[in-house]
Amino acid sequence: MARELGWYASFSVAFGFVSIATGIFTTYGAVLATSGPRGIWAWPISVIGQLSIALVFGALAARIPISGYSYQWVSRLVGPIWGWIMGWISFAFLGVVVVAVDYTIASTILPELFQYVGTTQNAWVITAGVMLLQSLLVAASTRSTHRVNNAAVTAQLIGMITLTVLLLAVGFFTGKLDFAHLFETGTVPESGYYGLGGGTQAGPFALAFLLGAFTIVGFESAANLAEETKDPARVIPKAMVQAVISLGVLGLLFLVAITAAAGRIDGVAESATPVATVITAVLGSVVGKILLVLVVVSIFSCGLVITLSGTRLVYAMSRDERFPGWRLLKRIHPRTATPLNATLFMMVIAQIILAVFSRSTDALFQLFSAATLLPAVIYAGTVAMYAVKRHSLPPSRGFSLGRWEVPVLVLAAIWLVYELLIFRDASFQGPWIYVLVLCGIGGLYLAVLIARRGRAALTMPDMADVDRALDSATTAPSGTEAEGTVR
């Protein structure tokens, strides 16, 4: 594959995957229902927690810049079996999160945009069509995919900034802003609001953290394209950290604007699409619909990047002969210079997951919950293994935590433990079942693989391939000259 991605393309991948438009439009209604308007103040705390993880991942990406991110890192930090487990969990995450993202378009945006009643049936059909289109783009050309994503991320930046400014300005001049609403709990009782809860019940404010925990994930997707990025040891850590910071600030401003406006609009709490309802009520139907179109573009871009990242993970594991059907999935198509089979495989998996979840009346909540639980598990495992094995890593060639390493690790550990405790809430039973089923399938395949080929089947190459990857970052041609290269 061609090594042709620069800083903005890497930033766009991280920014596009996170996509605050997707996360906020998906989960804002759940936050209002479980935590009230005051729940938005969990956002900045979540951003700080996720930023600490991005810093740790940046330190890893600067040392092991190979496609497959956590799968590659953990394999070399601890061992190939743990690395394979982390890779399989990452695959399960990418399979469900693309469905959650694309389902947002069909269930929350398009019904408001075109004024029709959303049902589980039409949401299923629309989501399936969106995922098919994303897969076709990823399969056809990596360069075209990044051009579409770069344009979509630019539109998202402009659109979200414009939307936030207009909501605040128009809301102020029309008297539709109520800043006292930012600190109210709505129908949620004050008693025990900040508690973690007991048994299988999480506290109201604790549940609000899922807004940031679901939204600010996927920044590591930039590391999954390390073998297609120029100077990845320097570019990727910078892109991930900058994406989290910029999205965190912009997301907080948007949440303040939308929540302040919601205080003066009737029926927001009962609306199936509260964010879209507020935008239309404040800015009018014409302007509101134009901005909603930009949101659709942003969410489509998010799903596109997830498809791209999932494809690269499947390709990386198949190249190492550690994934079911690896003989087919490791192939690079000679004309498109993309892992075509891996792309089609990811689309089929996503369509199966959609079929399973879409029959539920609360499919969106179940999808976003699973897509929040899985990255928390991935992040916790990777950070823990980095903390134990960090001294055995090769020297960094582009990014280092230096004397901030221990404080960052402590902050990341506290945040991840707290986040995982939230998922003991009884409402997350469905996502836990999904995780256990996928892990069971993966464990069965792993056992068969070891039984057939012995532990040698999971012997990973030494760090020499990391040196080769870093060397190729400065010597490999880019563009069309490198498109025929197959590793």
Side-chain angles (χ1 to χ4, degrees):
M1 293 184 286
R3 190 179 288 278
E4 57 188 6
L5 307 183
W7 169 79
Y8 190 70
S10 186
F11 171 81
S12 294
V13 167
F15 193 101
F17 194 128
V18 174
S19 181
I20 53 174
T22 305
I24 293 175
F25 271 75
T26 303
T27 58
Y28 185 74
V31 171
L32 289 181
T34 59
S35 312
R38 191 188 297 175
I40 67 168
W41 298 109
W43 174 272
I45 302 174
S46 300
V47 171
I48 293 171
Q50 297 298 78
L51 178 61
S52 67
I53 298 169
L55 290 167
V56 174
F57 276 38
L60 284 164
R63 290 165 170 82
I64 309 176
I66 304 178
S67 296
Y69 63 109
S70 285
Y71 157 68
Q72 302 284 10
W73 300 337
V74 175
S75 294
R76 288 161 174 79
L77 279 172
V78 183
I81 292 180
W82 284 106
W84 189 93
I85 293 172
M86 196 62 63
W88 185 261
I89 296 174
S90 300
F91 160 70
F93 161 59
L94 293 168
V96 73
V97 72
V98 69
V99 182
V101 165
D102 290 339
Y103 200 84
T104 304
I105 295 177
S107 63
T108 67
I109 310 299
L110 294 184
E112 180 73 20
L113 192 60
F114 295 107
Q115 294 298 304
Y116 68 87
V117 177
T119 65
T120 55
Q121 288 77 18
N122 58 39
W124 183 352
V125 172
I126 294 170
T127 304
V130 171
M131 291 194 302
L132 175 61
L133 178 57
Q134 290 164 341
S135 298
L136 291 174
L137 281 170
V138 171
S141 169
T142 299
R143 181 177 295 180
S144 297
T145 299
H146 284 291
R147 284 175 178 170
V148 171
N149 184 56
N150 290 349
V153 166
T154 302
Q156 181 178 176
L157 279 167
I158 296 172
M160 291 302 292
I161 292 172
T162 303
L163 183 55
T164 302
V165 171
L166 284 177
L167 282 171
L168 291 172
V170 175
F172 176 78
F173 285 111
T174 58
K176 291 182 178 180
L177 292 182
D178 181 6
F179 289 102
H181 190 59
L182 301 173
F183 305 97
E184 296 174 357
T185 60
T187 58
V188 180
E190 287 271 4
S191 178
Y193 184 82
Y194 293 103
L196 190 56
T200 59
Q201 183 67 43
F205 192 64
L207 290 173
F209 281 95
L210 296 178
L211 173 61
F214 171 72
T215 305
I216 311 295
V217 296
F219 46 82
E220 70 277 8
S221 58
N224 209 11
L225 277 73
E227 294 175 43
E228 300 162 71
T229 304
K230 303 172 186 176
D231 195 11
R234 296 182 184 276
V235 168
I236 291 172
K238 179 181 177 182
M240 290 193 296
V241 171
Q242 289 177 335
V244 172
I245 293 173
S246 58
L247 285 159
V249 173
L250 183 55
L252 178 61
L253 294 174
F254 179 70
L255 282 170
V256 168
I258 207 77
T259 306
R264 299 284 176 85
I265 298 172
D266 295 330
V268 173
E270 295 77 26
S271 173
T273 56
V275 176
T277 299
V278 172
I279 291 173
T280 303
V282 175
L283 302 180
S285 60
V286 175
V287 176
K289 287 184 177 181
I290 291 173
L291 292 171
L292 285 176
V293 169
L294 289 177
V295 172
V296 171
V297 172
S298 300
I299 297 175
F300 180 84
S301 167
C302 178
L304 186 67
V305 171
I306 296 169
T307 303
L308 182 67
S309 185
T311 296
R312 295 311 187 263
L313 175 64
V314 170
Y315 161 73
M317 295 182 71
S318 299
R319 182 179 59 185
D320 293 337
E321 302 179 9
R322 271 89 174 164
F323 201 85
W326 57 266
R327 287 182 177 86
L328 288 174
L329 300 179
K330 73 173 184 176
R331 295 179 182 175
I332 300 295
H333 194 276
R335 185 177 62 83
T336 63
T338 63
L340 178 61
N341 293 341
T343 306
L344 297 177
F345 173 79
M346 280 300 299
M347 185 207 47
V348 171
I349 293 298
Q351 297 286 0
I352 293 172
I353 294 172
L354 171 64
V356 170
F357 278 96
S358 63
R359 296 179 181 273
S360 171
T361 54
D362 61 344
L364 190 58
F365 176 79
Q366 296 294 330
L367 285 165
F368 100 74
S369 298
T372 309
L373 170 60
L374 283 163
V377 173
I378 296 166
Y379 294 162
T382 307
V383 169
M385 294 174 191
Y386 176 86
V388 174
K389 295 287 188 175
R390 66 188 189 278
H391 296 301
S392 62
L393 283 167
S396 172
R397 301 194 189 186
F399 178 83
S400 175
L401 294 175
R403 59 194 178 98
W404 293 100
E405 185 176 57
V406 173
V408 167
L409 282 171
V410 170
L411 178 61
I414 294 172
W415 161 245
L416 286 166
V417 169
Y418 181 79
E419 182 183 357
L420 287 171
L421 284 173
I422 299 172
F423 283 98
R424 78 186 191 283
D425 191 272
S427 60
F428 301 115
Q429 181 180 358
W432 274 114
I433 292 174
Y434 169 77
V435 172
L436 293 175
V437 168
L438 264 292
C439 287
I441 295 172
L444 180 62
Y445 173 76
L446 180 62
V448 171
L449 184 66
I450 294 176
R452 286 183 176 179
R453 300 165 62 185
R455 291 182 64 87
L458 289 174
T459 300
M460 292 293 291
D462 58 26
M463 296 300 293
D465 64 335
V466 176
D467 294 330
R468 288 193 295 272
L470 285 167
D471 291 341
S472 70
T474 57
T475 60
S478 60
T480 55
E481 295 178 1
E483 286 181 356
T485 302
V486 179
R487 180 181 180 276

